[in-house]
Amino acid sequence: MSKNIIKTQAVKKTFEQGKIKVRALRGIDMEVKKGEFTAISGPSGSGKTTLLNMIGCLDNPTSGQVEVAGKEVSKMSKTQMANLRLHKIGFVFQAYNLVPVLTAFENVELVLALQGVDKKKRKKLCLDILEEVGLKELASRRPAEMSGGQQQRVAVARAVVAKPALILADEPTANLDSETGARLLEMMRKLNKDHNITFLFSTHDKMVMDYSSRLISLSDGMIKNDILKQQN
Amino acid sequence: MLLLKMAFRNLWRRKSRTILTMIAIGFSYGLLLFFVQFTTGSHEGMIDTGVRMQAGHVVVQAKGYSEERKITENISKPELVLQQIKEIVPDSNVAQRIFLTGSLSSSSGNTILDNLVGVKPAVEKKISQIPEKLIKGKFLSGTKGEIVIGATAAKLLKVDLGMKVQLSISDVNGNIKRSALRVRGIFKTGGLTVDRGYALISLKQTQELTKMDSAVTQLAIFTDLASSEKIASRLKTKLNTTELDVLHWRDAMPMLAQMLWVDTISMYVFLFIILGIVSAGILNTVLMSVMERTREFGVLKSIGMSPWRIFMLIMYEAVFTAIIAIFVGMILGLSLSYYLSIHGLDPAVFVEGEQGMEAAGIPMTNLMYSKVTLYSVVWTAISVIVLSVLSALPPSIRAFRIKPVKAVRDL
Ligand SMILES: Nc1ncnc2c1ncn2[C@@H]1O[C@H](COP(=O)(O)OP(=O)(O)OP(=O)(O)O)[C@@H](O)[C@H]1O
Ligand SMILES: [Mg+2]
């Protein structure tokens, strides 16, 4: 008996550039349950990023409804959306995720600080999560002093630290070599299992698709395939 | 706290740009601070000179005296008025004076006196700048038959210390009175008309010559400049009779007041120009730094930082820049100002060679001193900070509005 973290209904998104209309999403209906580790694949321009943005409350759909953690998003104000992101959603982007002037520790701490968690508790949570992603030793380094893989692990730690309902990751391994990418995925899979956090990826990466428990393929702004794999 | 930390560290991401901006703001602020303090100080100096020569911080005179300055419009019982004044401002110096016009002649020449002042030497010594300006002889001693004149007058009359001059004035009935006086002292202020037409004799003798008995034309009250306005209004309520007028120095010396006012206005114009430059500097720097960081703000917003926090982040950055710059500028401006508050600046540097600098009948030859006050430091600093907040407004609003999608799109 697992409830839905994400529910979209007939989500459409049309970008208008002058006279040209780009129909990035053409009616997406999908549901994601708690604890799923889902990958969205599809050719470039198929609408993966656009879909993640709708789910992540970064952008509003042209029509249709998006529900995240039981809340209807489309009627929310900007501040309400910011609040939902802060408390319910973690983000990992392709690159440049981190605040350059903050250390690894502070980058992770930022989310908790914004949530108003007190300092002592923040410290413990941050050190624990950095330990989990294997970066405790690099806690006081700034992003510029870390490798791309290390930076992505900090980004994952930041996304996970507040135990959000959902983590959205837009091509998190795209800038990493396959070995580093694999380790990042391994780590995320472990966090997914240990903390029962829902992950939703977009990816071109075959390996990410292999790791996922569910694979949704997009094509031309529509869902072409939705395969629930055997849990391993 | 993390926000403040971020703001502070963000300043040093573009070190040279930030430092350059800080230097520009700091330099402008230092200049501004110095300029304000120097203007204030030099104005106070001019007021002081004016007040000592012609009026007082507050002046009491007969109603209607201002119009033609006739000696018939006088205060007939000055001792009574003096008592009343002392009740309100006990620790002030009050000079009793008679202002006259007349002429001086000697065997070899004559000259007009625009300001022949009858004074009580003992009191006047404490007030007047003339004793310091004497180039020869001494100030009035109080005995009859003495006069102190300016260097130009002495030259025109071809007289020297101890020599006789003939004074002609008219008494209260309009009759010409003559009196032979000896030159007791010769002063030089550098003011053209002052050195020719300003002279001092004893009050008692003036009263006798003019048949004024114990009357005077002016009671000049010396307190301190800052409280002069308050004292003037208190004296006004107390001495407000049909016979007496109480004037603040501004009303007693309207020409001087107007001149200083014009100078103050030009100071504010200068101030505005400087602040305009500061404003443009901050706007430019902050705007550039916001535009460079569009993506970063996108990320911050995605992870749930509210637009207001982003707005504040930019504001903090601008205010930090201003505060650091202000400290640097303060050191600069205050050291210059402090130096000139001790050593003064010779006004001759502003004018080419020529002697005789004067404004509104007051010699402008004294050294000009800057006035270091906490108040001026604070209000100029606050203006710069307020200005930096205002200048950072457009870029902050821009950052406020950045859409979080930017984080994902603009790779
Ligand atoms: N802001 C925008 N303005 C105009 N068109 C846009 C905008 N964002 C996306 N699009 C268009 O919408 C379509 C879907 O884009 P989207 O970025 O979602 O694809 P994607 O599947 O993430 O591609 P990729 O694999 O290259 O990241 C594309 O045709 C794209 O050009
Ligand atoms: Mg994409």
Side-chain angles (χ1 to χ4, degrees):
Chain A
M1 157 60 226
S2 49
K3 64 172 189 176
N4 285 333
I5 291 289
I6 304 167
K7 189 176 176 193
T8 72
Q9 277 180 301
V11 167
K12 292 183 184 168
K13 180 70 177 178
T14 308
F15 293 106
E16 286 184 38
Q17 283 183 319
K19 283 193 176 155
I20 309 158
K21 283 189 183 177
V22 183
R23 293 170 53 175
L25 297 177
R26 303 197 292 166
I28 302 282
D29 294 283
M30 67 182 248
E31 290 175 7
V32 174
K33 291 188 175 62
K34 187 165 173 58
E36 281 187 348
F37 200 73
T38 308
I40 301 171
S41 72
S44 187
S46 57
K48 302 183 294 293
T49 300
T50 308
L51 181 57
L52 284 187
N53 288 348
M54 299 301 137
I55 295 167
C57 305
L58 298 177
D59 207 352
N60 296 104
T62 311
S63 69
Q65 281 167 0
V66 178
E67 228 176 77
V68 176
K71 298 209 172 66
E72 172 59 43
V73 173
S74 40
K75 289 176 191 80
M76 283 187 177
S77 72
K78 282 210 168 87
T79 322
Q80 286 173 315
M81 285 184 9
N83 246 323
L84 186 73
R85 289 197 299 271
L86 177 60
H87 291 280
K88 300 287 180 193
I89 308 173
F91 287 90
V92 180
F93 304 114
Q94 187 174 330
Y96 311 113
N97 272 293
L98 305 178
V99 181
V101 293
L102 297 182
T103 63
F105 179 88
E106 289 163 343
N107 262 287
V108 178
E109 190 189 10
L110 182 58
V111 175
L112 295 173
L114 291 174
Q115 288 186 354
V117 178
D118 72 76
K119 195 155 186 165
K120 222 161 138 194
K121 200 167 163 203
R122 268 181 357 223
K123 187 167 181 192
K124 187 182 174 330
L125 286 171
C126 291
L127 289 177
D128 285 354
I129 200 72
L130 282 171
E131 175 134 52
E132 250 186 286
V133 301
L135 286 177
K136 207 173 178 182
E137 280 67 43
L138 306 187
S140 60
R141 286 210 194 165
R142 298 223 184 153
E145 300 158 348
M146 290 187 280
S147 72
Q150 288 165 341
Q151 286 184 40
Q152 285 305 73
R153 271 146 73 192
V154 175
V156 172
R158 182 186 66 192
V160 173
V161 71
K163 305 279 145 47
L166 169 68
I167 289 179
L168 298 174
D170 196 13
E171 309 198 31
T173 59
N175 282 12
L176 305 177
D177 63 65
S178 55
E179 199 183 318
T180 318
R183 262 191 291 163
L184 188 77
L185 275 169
E186 197 68 61
M187 193 190 82
M188 289 198 278
R189 188 73 168 116
K190 193 169 176 304
L191 289 167
N192 162 250
K193 280 182 176 157
D194 291 354
H195 302 289
N196 199 27
I197 296 173
T198 316
F199 278 78
L200 184 63
F201 303 97
S202 82
T203 190
H204 283 293
D205 193 340
K206 178 79 172 55
M207 188 169 57
V208 181
M209 300 177 209
D210 290 343
Y211 266 98
S212 59
S213 61
R214 180 181 171 190
L215 185 59
I216 297 172
S217 322
L218 285 191
S219 170
D220 228 358
M222 301 218 277
I223 295 179
K224 196 175 76 182
N225 252 321
D226 190 347
I227 307 160
L228 196 60
K229 292 198 266 179
Q230 202 66 35
Q231 287 285 339
N232 43 355
Chain B
M1 277 328 277
L2 213 51
L3 206 62
L4 290 177
K5 214 189 267 180
M6 276 170 75
F8 190 75
R9 289 185 194 164
N10 279 334
L11 293 186
W12 312 111
R13 281 166 83 168
R14 297 284 180 130
K15 261 204 197 88
S16 47
R17 185 173 71 195
T18 305
I19 289 173
L20 215 66
T21 310
M22 283 176 178
I23 289 174
I25 298 170
F27 186 79
S28 310
Y29 173 74
L31 203 66
L32 189 147
L33 180 63
F34 165 70
F35 197 65
V36 166
Q37 297 194 337
F38 186 70
T39 304
T40 314
S42 62
H43 282 191
E44 287 190 2
M46 288 181 214
I47 294 165
D48 195 57
T49 307
V51 151
R52 286 169 193 282
M53 291 197 60
Q54 307 207 332
H57 292 114
V58 183
V59 166
V60 181
Q61 60 188 28
K63 270 235 154 67
Y65 175 74
S66 299
E67 281 149 35
E68 287 182 61
R69 297 170 73 87
K70 283 196 286 200
I71 53 170
T72 44
E73 315 282 353
N74 56 39
I75 305 168
S76 53
K77 301 235 163 31
E79 293 300 331
L80 274 178
V81 183
L82 185 70
Q83 223 168 14
Q84 286 178 293
I85 292 170
K86 287 284 186 180
E87 273 168 34
I88 290 180
V89 270
D91 49 359
S92 61
N93 283 315
V94 182
Q96 303 185 38
R97 292 166 170 169
I98 295 174
F99 282 84
L100 292 167
T101 53
S103 68
L104 272 185
S105 56
S106 70
S107 52
S108 20
N110 58 63
T111 181
I112 304 273
L113 296 176
D114 329 292
N115 270 313
L116 173 67
V117 195
V119 299
K120 285 190 159 176
V123 181
E124 200 69 24
K125 238 186 238 173
K126 289 191 226 158
I127 296 159
S128 177
Q129 290 182 350
I130 297 294
E132 302 153 30
K133 306 282 182 189
L134 290 173
I135 49 171
K136 275 179 185 172
K138 288 181 179 152
F139 195 66
L140 301 173
S141 68
T143 44
K144 271 167 81 173
E146 294 172 352
I147 186 164
V148 171
I149 59 173
T152 314
K155 208 174 183 183
L156 288 169
L157 298 168
K158 297 202 177 75
V159 294
D160 211 332
L161 284 184
M163 289 168 74
K164 269 197 179 153
V165 287
Q166 187 83 19
L167 174 70
S168 323
I169 49 175
S170 37
D171 68 13
V172 284
N173 304 315
N175 299 322
I176 304 289
K177 296 281 162 166
R178 284 180 229 283
S179 176
L181 302 166
R182 266 183 214 284
V183 177
R184 164 91 173 161
I186 298 173
F187 64 83
K188 186 172 179 179
T189 61
L192 197 67
T193 63
V194 175
D195 287 350
R196 199 196 60 230
Y198 190 88
L200 297 164
I201 57 174
S202 87
L203 183 70
K204 210 186 279 166
Q205 188 162 18
T206 316
Q207 286 165 337
E208 282 168 18
L209 281 171
T210 55
K211 299 211 169 91
M212 284 173 79
D213 297 327
S214 62
V216 300
T217 59
Q218 180 188 74
L219 283 171
I221 300 145
F222 293 86
T223 57
D224 65 299
L225 189 57
S227 49
S228 62
E229 221 144 345
K230 219 191 296 168
I231 290 169
S233 71
R234 275 164 63 198
L235 285 171
K236 256 177 214 169
T237 43
K238 174 125 188 175
L239 300 176
N240 202 5
T241 61
T242 44
E243 289 117 60
L244 294 177
D245 246 348
V246 177
L247 297 178
H248 185 244
W249 67 263
R250 256 190 222 106
D251 304 312
M253 297 183 290
M255 293 264 281
L256 178 66
Q258 192 170 13
M259 191 196 85
L260 297 182
W261 186 74
V262 169
D263 200 48
T264 305
I265 295 293
S266 53
M267 177 190 86
Y268 281 113
V269 169
F270 177 77
L271 216 117
F272 252 78
I273 294 170
I274 293 250
L275 289 178
I277 295 168
V278 169
S279 167
I282 294 174
L283 177 68
N284 179 55
T285 307
V286 178
L287 190 62
M288 282 210 304
S289 89
V290 165
M291 302 218 293
E292 286 166 359
R293 289 185 286 163
T294 303
R295 210 199 119 79
E296 192 177 317
F297 294 134
V299 171
L300 287 172
K301 283 193 175 173
S302 322
I303 66 166
M305 191 181 267
S306 69
W308 277 111
R309 281 216 164 91
I310 306 263
F311 180 89
M312 285 314 292
L313 180 70
I314 311 298
M315 279 296 169
Y316 287 147
E317 289 178 26
V319 170
F320 284 166
T321 309
I323 287 176
I324 295 171
I326 283 169
F327 268 106
V328 175
M330 212 179 272
I331 294 169
L332 190 96
L334 278 183
S335 16
L336 193 59
S337 184
Y338 180 72
Y339 179 85
L340 285 181
S341 77
I342 303 289
H343 299 282
L345 183 70
D346 191 340
V349 302
F350 296 121
V351 199
E352 291 280 321
E354 263 307 290
Q355 282 252 331
M357 267 189 300
E358 235 178 49
I362 295 153
M364 297 288 149
T365 48
N366 289 338
L367 289 184
M368 299 162 89
Y369 293 93
S370 183
K371 189 175 188 194
V372 179
T373 61
L374 181 64
Y375 172 73
S376 60
V377 172
V378 171
W379 81 256
T380 49
I382 288 176
S383 324
V384 171
I385 290 171
V386 168
L387 189 78
S388 66
V389 167
L390 292 179
S391 316
L393 219 49
S396 301
I397 289 170
R398 195 189 172 103
F400 181 95
R401 287 196 181 142
I402 287 171
K403 292 207 176 86
V405 225
K406 290 283 178 196
V408 214
R409 287 291 173 199
D410 299 355
L411 276 173

